[in-house]
């Protein structure tokens, strides 16, 4: 049990350090996330680039992002609850290296164009009852 506490404590400290690393960058709302922003793990390592937003712009429901992995170039989903800060240059997550390797592949759904050059995607099963 103690080792479990230590790993949780260590992960929290890593996240605090990473969030602090980007404190000079202006935080932005999810809808203003820069296209192809660098996405980082809790330890500051690069996961990949943000390729698309997942959510409902009209209802202001943010579900996460689609990331093109740095290693291998595969598209994966990162849920909103794992994203801790979005700045004008980076997306900071609380993911550890082990968790990054187990991210779910992106599932294609409906596409909606959004002004920053990427695509805004909305899963048909998302509705007002699934807000995060």
């Amino acid at each position: 049990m103690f080792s479990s506490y230590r790993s949780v404590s260590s992960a929290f400290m890593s996240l605090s350090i990473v969030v602090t690393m980007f404190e000079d960058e202006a935080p932005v709302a999810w809808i203003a996330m820069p296209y192809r922003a660098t996405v980082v793990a809790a330890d500051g390592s690069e996961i990949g680039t943000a390729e698309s937003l997942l959510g409902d712009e009209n209802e202001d429901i943010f579900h996460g992002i689609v990331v093109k992995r740095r290693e291998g170039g595969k598209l994966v989903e990162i849920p909103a609850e794992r994203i801790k800060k979005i700045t004008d240059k980076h997306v900071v997550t609380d993911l550890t290296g082990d968790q990054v390797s187990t991210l779910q592949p992106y599932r294609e759904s409906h596409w909606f164009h959004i002004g920053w050059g990427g695509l805004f995607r909305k899963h048909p099963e998302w509705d007002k009852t699934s807000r995060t």
Side-chain angles (χ1 to χ4, degrees):
M1 184 164 125
F2 182 71
S3 64
S4 168
Y5 172 76
R6 184 179 298 171
S7 66
V8 169
S9 176
S10 176
F12 177 74
M13 293 208 33
S14 293
L15 179 60
S16 296
I17 292 167
V18 171
V19 169
T20 303
M21 285 173 49
F22 302 111
E23 72 182 0
D24 61 331
E25 296 179 12
V28 297
W30 71 274
I31 199 79
M33 180 185 71
Y35 182 52
R36 296 208 168 126
T38 301
V39 181
V40 297
D43 64 0
S45 62
E46 184 179 332
I47 296 172
T49 57
E51 298 295 317
S52 298
L53 293 165
L54 298 170
D56 186 331
E57 183 179 18
N58 294 330
E59 297 291 331
D60 194 26
I61 302 171
F62 177 50
H63 291 282
I65 59 175
V66 175
V67 176
K68 183 175 184 180
R69 290 283 315 269
R70 182 173 184 229
E71 295 177 16
K74 293 186 179 184
L75 295 177
V76 295
E77 295 182 19
I78 299 181
E81 62 268 9
R82 303 311 303 260
I83 297 171
K84 299 306 168 194
K85 184 175 185 180
I86 301 173
T87 74
D88 55 351
K89 297 179 185 153
H90 293 91
V91 178
V92 180
T93 72
D94 66 356
L95 296 167
T96 65
D98 290 339
Q99 292 168 330
V100 169
S101 64
T102 63
L103 288 170
Q104 295 296 310
Y106 171 66
R107 307 173 303 177
E108 191 58 50
S109 293
H110 295 99
W111 295 31
F112 296 90
H113 183 70
I114 193 167
W116 46 269
L119 294 172
F120 184 85
R121 290 162 166 84
K122 177 181 176 182
H123 287 273
E125 67 271 14
W126 292 343
D127 61 22
K128 291 180 184 180
T129 62
S130 65
R131 290 180 187 234
T132 58

